[in-house]
Each structure stands twice: as structure tokens, then as C-alpha cells.
Amino acid sequence: MAIKNAFYAQSGGVTAVINASACGVIQTARKHPEQIGKVYAGRNGIIGALREELIDTSLESDAAIEALLHTPGGAFGSCRYKLKNLTENRREYERLIEVFQAHDIGYFFYNGGGDSQDTAFKVSQLAEKMGYPITCIGVPKTVDNDLPFTDCCPGFGSVAKYIATSTLEASLDIRSMSESSTKVFILEVMGRHAGWIAASGGLAGAGEGEPPHIILFPEVPFDREAFLKRVDFCVENYGYCVVVASEGAQYEDGRFVAEAGSKDAFGHTQLGGVAPALANMVKQALGHKYHWAVADYLQRAARHIASATDVEQAYKVGQAAVEMALAGKQALMPTIVREQASPYRWHIGEAPLSEVANQEKKMPIHYITDDGFGITDDCRAYLQPLIEGESFPPFEKGLPKVAKLQNQLVEKKLKAEFDI
Amino acid sequence: MAIKNAFYAQSGGVTAVINASACGVIQTARKHPEQIGKVYAGRNGIIGALREELIDTSLESDAAIEALLHTPGGAFGSCRYKLKNLTENRREYERLIEVFQAHDIGYFFYNGGGDSQDTAFKVSQLAEKMGYPITCIGVPKTVDNDLPFTDCCPGFGSVAKYIATSTLEASLDIRSMSESSTKVFILEVMGRHAGWIAASGGLAGAGEGEPPHIILFPEVPFDREAFLKRVDFCVENYGYCVVVASEGAQYEDGRFVAEAGSKDAFGHTQLGGVAPALANMVKQALGHKYHWAVADYLQRAARHIASATDVEQAYKVGQAAVEMALAGKQALMPTIVREQASPYRWHIGEAPLSEVANQEKKMPIHYITDDGFGITDDCRAYLQPLIEGESFPPFEKGLPKVAKLQNQLVEKKLKAEFDI
């Protein structure tokens, strides 16, 4: 079998551990020089392939690649760019083939969520439909934990650990303040369509009255009256109320709570923030003093408090992707298969890209308590192992050390530029 | 000298390390049974003294007290309550004396910021003006770093480390996304009057073009045009722009940026959020895609990423307070005295409460760059040692372990209740 180069790219919202997957791909490829030549990383995902902007990872030292294990963000740049269908934009696919051909690329590894697995699937069709032989394997990644077939998604466990830890810590803070000051604390977390991240806040406490007292899921229609009643009950009975709210919390009619009508001085709709929207609701209806936080990028970039389980799984799906490709497999995505929850045991499985693409896994209804404001024991059992283990990065001068890559581009071989 | 009991209380906004000061006070007191009987902690600060709600810390095990070292929040409850002057509310002071007398309290340790040192000073006057002998020592604490006389305030170093780390991590995230998605990221941090916390975000990067690209300080009047121009310059030249904004950022005329005119659907002024206010400004003027985060309580509760320097200083000011009291000193606050920045050396000094109370230490103007958007090398040299060293808490089931106290109240001896 001829030696071929590999293309690897990162796609969609990045995570604290997507670079651990990159590390898994590159280190494993380096162990197989008899089959894989160089690993070229797309500069800003698939855009790098279309523009022929290929980063030569062979120029990076072993130490720099190893440092990817503890570096958040996407080391080669990511993108939000979805390939159209072959019939809609044939030119894009032709361009990919030109670039792959020019750089002798025979392996394609695409690291991302649902949309990205769709892209990987489309590229895998190049082999079949346009006669260009390329081995395509998707590498799962998403903080939203919404990919099908896999028990969990690399990236999620670390966000879950961050949110559970932050909820625990902030709850101790507000509990101290509640007698004479703040009584309600609202933490807004990611998850536009699925409540997995919000659910993870629930791990901070379990007993009667322990925070968080309210979790708002996108899966449960937001009921203003029930929410306010529950807030008031908690303040009355526990002295304070901690709310973890998914950014995707929405009313029965599909309007996001975050969009519910606030306008700025110019009459423009104020963009965003389910936390401030809820805080204003509490203030107006109940008058309680509140604080709110919006974790936003902090939650998915927080490599300093990553889950060791998550880091390991992120690495392993990268490694498995290369091993699958070397074994001649095609159009697959490695998955995490749970063997048992406690003690946690798992192994790598596989799922066909054709079925992964564009499916969303929401929270099962039996993971949410009957009142819609909490997580069940089943949900806890599912989430618990995913946040376990610490994987602190090395520190230097008080700050996490991160990989410093050269990210040097390969010389272009094609004359034409490509506008995307 | 007769054995007397001690009263210790926490006051104002709590921090990741105020319990380390509590640990310093209690452990040091336990070493001196010949002078100090029991340490009673005020339930919710000075309110606990007024209500005769005294927590008997002697019932807590050595292990539980030791665990305070890694537990954020205020373990005994804090308060926002400021004693009036003796002439304005003599009854309050009489009540304090009644409670202290009833419980044989001869030492008063009050752990807080400027307002709290004011309270400690007023209580110290009881001895002089009302003939009740009590030794009063303040214990400094504030994330705002705005106490005078002390080189830094316990609580600040850990927030600074959290903000610098979060800025670094989130910057790697947005840098990955900026080619085809988010171009501006705004992190809102605490500091209503002083920009110390915002400044600490500056430690995340130092070279030309390194994030954060813009820091907004309360000390520098907000100039909308200059801000937007700088954002645009960064997006144009570096591909993205990271902003760390103090919640206290304000216009020349004193209006907070956060309050600048946004109203909800009912016409109520929308409360809070300099980050969303800036994000909307950027969107409307420049059209860039943005993300924003508000760290709020997460920053001051983040014991998991506390600075080891800060934890040590917090402990030592608690220890020093007790040692000063035992040495017969009165109406003082232990301070941190910097000997040199690199390698960092410091020792404990002291300042009179009469002069500490109600003074605010703002950022010196030479700590801010001429354009008003960054920190100078002097500022870096000041901040750097304060975030150094890691002091990770122990973890259990993926979450930080925290102290579990019994917080049992001493039986009341006074008949009268006291309404506050």
C-alpha cells in the first residue's frame, strides 16, 4: 500500500479537549510512517482544504504535539462552514479533490459535531461518486453532547465538570450572602437545543434543598409562574435559590426566554442572556436581590478544570480514527461505548457517518424530574463518571502552559485561488 | 491574664480564601488555650453578634477546620451590614456589649473589606467610650484589592488568577473561531470602583497583538468612539478582539456603561451587564459577531483555581490577627508588606484601623497604558507574584471537597431578642 498524506481539521465550536483529539490523531499517525506520510492540518477547518491552506504538522516537535493534550481551543483554527450537497455545489468537491491530489492526501479526519460529521460523510462520497480514493473518518467532538450512537461526546465531560464545580462554588458564595444580601443566583450555561450541560450543574448537590434548586432545560417548556413559585419557595425555605439555566430555555411556543422582548435605547431587540432575563423576572415579580453569571466561552475553554475521563476519551477517539483508517475502514466515526457506570468502564466502538450526520440526541425524558426542574438518579448515574478525574495542565508564572505551534503552511501547488 | 472567648465574623462579599483566614484565626487561637477560650463565629457576620447567634467553633474537628483552607464562600455566613456611629445608634453598641459580656468575649476579629474595617474600628471604641474591655483586630479581605496600607488584599490574588486564566483560555477559543465566526469576545469582571481585577486579565498576554486587546477600567472614562475604533483595529489586524471589561466602566459623566439606557418590554431599565451593553454597541456599530461572558460570583468563588500565594496570605493575616491580639495590640489590621517583586518576598505588617476604614485604593495611573486600554510593565510586575502557585483542593467524585461544618449555635443567655 502506497504511503499517503493525511488531512486533519477541526470544525465547529471548539472545546477544552479537541486538541487532545488532534494529539491522538497526530501521534498515532507518526507511529505509522509505513502508511501515513505527513499529517496536514486544515487552517480553520475545511476552509483550509478549500483554500489550500495546509499546516504542516510534521514541522512541530514531539513536545509541541504532546502539549496539545493540555491546550484548549482549536490549535489549527476551526470554522463554521458546511459543505453543500454534491449536486448543489459540485465545484467545492472538485476543488477538494484538486487540493487532495496536489498534496497526495489519502486520509481525511474531520473533528467536530453533527454538521462536521455530515461534512465528513460528504467527503467520503468523493471516493464513490467522483472516483477519488480517500479514506474518511469522523472524530466526534461537541460540548453539547448531542451526537447519536456515542454514549457521550468528547468535550462534554469537561464542560460538565466546569459547570458542576462552578455551581458548587458559587452556591457556597450565595449561601453566605443570603441572610442580608443576594438571595437568587442564576448561572447561564450553553446548550441551545439539548439540556446536557445544564443537567451537569445538578451534580453540585443532591440532598433536599441542596443547590442548584432549579435547572432549566430546553427540553422542558418554560413556565414563568411555576418558575417564580419555585424560586420563592426556595428563598422561603432554604434562604436562597440557585438556578442553572440553559441558554436554550424556551416557552411552549418556541420563543427563547433570552429573547423575550427586551429592547435597548434605540429600540433594537437586546440580544441574549437568559440569565439577565430571568433575573429581571425575579426582581419584578418577587423583588429578591440577585446575581447572575453567563459562563459562555469560559465553560468550553476551561482546560484547567478538564475531566481526566474526557481528556482520555478525546485522545482515544483521535487515535481510533487513525487506526480505523489504517485498517481500511471507511466513513465511520469512533464512538464511546459505556460498559458500566460504576466503576466506569468503556471502550471505543464505531458508527457509520451516513447515520450520524445531522441527528441530535436530546435528554431522555426520564433524566428530568417530574417538576421539570431537576435531574433524576438515572441522569446522575449517567453524568457522574464523565466528570471524574482531574487533569490539571502544567502551570508557568501562575498561568496554564499551552502549546506554541509554528503552524507553518505548506507551499501552495495550485495556481487558482478559491473563494469561499 | 484571664482566659477570654473570641468572636470572629466574616463580612461583605466573600472570597475563595476568606475561610483560609478563618482557619488561620481558629487554628492559632486553639494553640493558645492559656489566653483564648472558645472561638465563637458570628452567624452571618456582625448580625450574629447582634442577634446572639454565635456558632461554637470548638465543636468542629481539627480536620473540619483544616478543610476551611480549601473551601470557598463564607463558612459561617457573611453580611452586608454596617454599624452606625455610636452617637447615631447607641443601642446597637449596648447590645454588642450585652452579648459579649454574656459570653465572656474579650477578643473581636472581623474579616472584611473597607466597610468591615470601619465596623471593627467602631467596636474597638467600645473599650474606650463605653468601658467594655475588648481587643479588636481587623482581618483584611476583599477581591477588589482596594484596601489602603496593605500591598494587596487576601482574596484578590485568586480572582486575579481566575480572570487571567479564563482570559487566556477563552482567547484561545475565540482565536480558533474568528476566521468564519465570532470575532469579538467580551468578559465582564468585578470591580465597581477599582480596576484591579480587570487589570489582572492583562496577565494573559503581553506581546503585540496578544489578547486581551482591550481592558476597560473604572478609572478611565469610557470613550465609545475610541473603544469601537480599537475593536475594529484589532479585528482588522489580529483577526479578533478580546475585551476584559470592569463592571464599573463608566462614561466621563459618571453613568455606568452597563446602565446606558437599555429597557425591557415593560419599559423598566434593564439591570446590569457591561458585557452585553458593549456587545450590542459592537454589533450595531461594526456588525461583528460576538460572544460575551459575565463571571460574577464564579470569579470570587473559584477556589479550584486559587493562587497559592493568596491562600497563604489569607491564612497568615488570620494567624497574625490572633497573635497581635495576644500581644495586647488594639485596633489594628495585619497588612501584606512587599519586600520585592521577583523573587517575591513579603511579610506581615500592621495598620491602624482608624486610618484603614473607608479609604479606597484605586489603580495608580502609571499602571494603565497611555491609551487607557492596557496595563504597563509596572502593573505586571505588581500583579505577577499574586497569581503564582497553585493550590488545588482535594477532589471527590469529580468535584472539589469542601468543609462540612456543624455550625451549632451556642445557647442564648439573653432574654431579649434584637431586631436589626
Side-chain angles (χ1 to χ4, degrees), chain B residues 108-395:
Chain B
F108 180 89
F109 302 107
Y110 208 49
N111 200 170
D115 281 355
S116 313
Q117 303 307 327
D118 176 69
T119 296
F121 177 63
K122 284 169 178 159
V123 172
S124 77
Q125 295 182 302
L126 287 181
E128 228 176 278
K129 299 196 175 170
M130 296 176 76
Y132 182 81
I134 188 158
T135 302
C136 285
I137 306 289
V139 185
K141 168 248 48 163
T142 164
V143 294
D144 294 326
N145 203 37
D146 60 355
L147 284 174
F149 299 104
T150 185
D151 179 68
C152 60
C153 300
F156 170 67
S158 294
V159 176
K161 188 183 185 83
Y162 172 92
I163 294 299
T165 299
S166 298
T167 301
L168 172 69
E169 291 177 332
S171 296
L172 290 171
D173 190 311
I174 180 183
R175 192 180 68 178
S176 332
M177 303 307 296
S178 59
E179 175 62 25
S180 56
S181 183
T182 309
K183 298 220 183 321
V184 180
F185 176 72
I186 302 163
L187 172 61
E188 172 174 334
V189 305
M190 286 180 157
R192 197 149 275 264
H193 305 292
W196 294 106
I197 297 177
S200 67
L203 294 175
E208 160 68 17
E210 280 182 24
H213 307 101
I214 300 178
I215 302 174
L216 299 179
F217 307 93
E219 288 89 348
V220 180
F222 179 72
D223 175 339
R224 185 176 180 277
E225 295 317 309
F227 168 71
L228 290 170
K229 201 173 150 188
R230 172 88 183 135
V231 169
D232 213 34
F233 174 87
C234 293
V235 172
E236 199 60 42
N237 289 273
Y238 314 129
Y240 65 109
C241 181
V242 174
V243 181
V244 178
S246 177
E247 61 177 341
Q250 52 197 275
Y251 290 95
E252 186 87 54
D253 63 9
R255 270 179 314 138
F256 285 113
V257 174
E259 286 172 359
S262 100
K263 295 204 191 295
D264 69 11
F266 306 95
H268 300 111
T269 297
Q270 195 84 356
L271 290 164
V274 64
L278 293 169
N280 275 289
M281 210 179 278
V282 166
K283 167 130 190 104
Q284 282 158 30
L286 307 173
H288 297 311
K289 190 174 174 204
Y290 61 79
H291 265 251
W292 53 268
V294 177
D296 194 65
Y297 279 180
L298 305 195
Q299 71 202 284
R300 72 181 203 194
R303 178 63 187 82
H304 74 270
I305 184 75
S307 147
T309 302
D310 190 35
V311 174
E312 189 190 350
Q313 292 180 339
Y315 183 89
K316 287 283 174 65
V317 293
Q319 177 184 32
V322 174
E323 288 168 352
M324 286 175 183
L326 294 176
K329 297 188 177 182
Q330 171 69 322
L332 296 177
M333 179 187 83
T335 59
I336 311 293
V337 180
R338 180 180 299 221
E339 296 169 18
Q340 61 177 48
S342 179
Y344 185 48
R345 281 218 312 260
W346 59 278
H347 66 265
I348 295 282
E350 56 187 51
L353 286 178
S354 59
E355 295 182 37
V356 171
N358 300 315
Q359 275 194 50
E360 241 170 34
K361 186 174 72 176
K362 296 203 175 190
M363 294 263 295
I365 200 69
H366 70 281
Y367 277 14
I368 299 174
T369 52
D370 289 343
D371 66 4
F373 291 139
I375 58 171
T376 61
D377 288 346
D378 277 0
C379 187
R380 273 174 207 289
Y382 168 75
L383 292 172
Q384 184 57 49
L386 307 184
I387 69 163
E388 286 191 12
E390 290 67 56
S391 173
F392 301 116
F395 279 73

Side-chain angles (χ1 to χ4, degrees), chain A residues 52-192:
Chain A
E52 201 191 356
E53 293 181 344
L54 307 177
I55 294 165
D56 186 352
T57 69
S58 75
L59 301 175
E60 310 294 345
S61 69
D62 285 345
I65 296 301
E66 182 77 16
L68 289 173
L69 271 176
H70 54 78
T71 303
F76 308 109
S78 184
C79 68
R80 293 209 182 272
Y81 188 83
K82 200 171 167 176
L83 290 184
K84 295 209 172 55
N85 286 323
L86 193 47
T87 47
E88 289 175 274
N89 197 344
R90 190 175 180 90
R91 184 65 198 105
E92 261 182 359
Y93 292 87
E94 288 168 352
R95 172 69 176 186
L96 286 180
I97 290 178
E98 285 160 18
V99 173
F100 292 163
Q101 212 148 27
H103 296 277
D104 202 22
I105 289 168
Y107 303 96
F108 180 89
F109 301 106
Y110 208 49
N111 201 171
D115 282 355
S116 313
Q117 302 308 326
D118 176 68
T119 296
F121 176 63
K122 284 169 179 158
V123 171
S124 77
Q125 294 181 303
L126 287 181
E128 227 176 281
K129 298 196 176 169
M130 296 176 75
Y132 183 81
I134 189 159
T135 302
C136 284
I137 306 288
V139 185
K141 167 248 50 166
T142 163
V143 294
D144 293 325
N145 202 37
D146 59 356
L147 283 174
F149 299 106
T150 185
D151 180 68
C152 61
C153 299
F156 170 68
S158 294
V159 177
K161 188 183 184 83
Y162 172 92
I163 294 298
T165 299
S166 297
T167 301
L168 173 69
E169 291 177 333
S171 295
L172 290 171
D173 189 311
I174 180 183
R175 192 180 70 178
S176 333
M177 304 307 295
S178 60
E179 175 62 25
S180 56
S181 183
T182 309
K183 298 219 182 323
V184 179
F185 176 71
I186 301 163
L187 172 61
E188 174 175 333
V189 305
M190 286 181 157
R192 198 148 275 265

